[in-house]
Amino acid sequence: MRETGSVETRVSLRGRKPALSQTDIQDIDRMIQTQPDITIHEIREELQLQVSDETVRKAWEAGGILGITFFFCSIRRRHTTF
């Protein structure tokens, strides 16, 4: 009430804030377009992002960049069924 003079609920300020800004996401997109074989870890290092590899991967998925595959730096276990 002090700042706006209104008693209305400020709903837009609720919730968790995004880890990556729109500029960060655009920079990730630009890097992938110019260097399709770049790894997620290389993107994080180059852009000096303070987020996990998974956050970068999710940003890539949300951006809808199709036809480009990330190369993961770590070895992932393969799940097999018998």
Side-chain angles (χ1 to χ4, degrees):
M1 173 139 169
R2 291 181 189 168
E3 294 175 15
T4 63
S6 174
V7 291
E8 293 290 322
T9 306
R10 295 170 57 182
V11 192
S12 64
L13 302 177
R14 291 183 183 171
R16 187 177 187 141
K17 306 303 180 249
L20 295 171
S21 68
Q22 192 62 35
T23 305
D24 292 334
I25 294 170
Q26 290 171 353
D27 290 342
I28 291 169
D29 180 40
R30 193 174 308 112
M31 288 189 76
I32 294 168
Q33 295 300 328
T34 59
Q35 193 178 357
D37 63 341
I38 194 167
T39 65
I40 292 174
H41 188 73
E42 290 170 338
I43 291 172
R44 282 183 46 226
E45 284 182 349
E46 184 78 25
L47 297 176
Q48 299 177 354
L49 299 173
Q50 300 297 315
V51 296
S52 68
D53 288 355
E54 185 66 9
T55 301
V56 175
R57 186 192 65 77
K58 286 179 180 180
W60 168 74
E61 277 186 352
I65 304 166
L66 302 175
I68 298 173
T69 305
F70 276 120
F71 296 94
F72 290 91
C73 291
S74 61
I75 298 172
R76 298 188 304 172
R77 278 189 230 154
R78 292 182 182 241
H79 298 282
T80 57
T81 56
F82 295 98

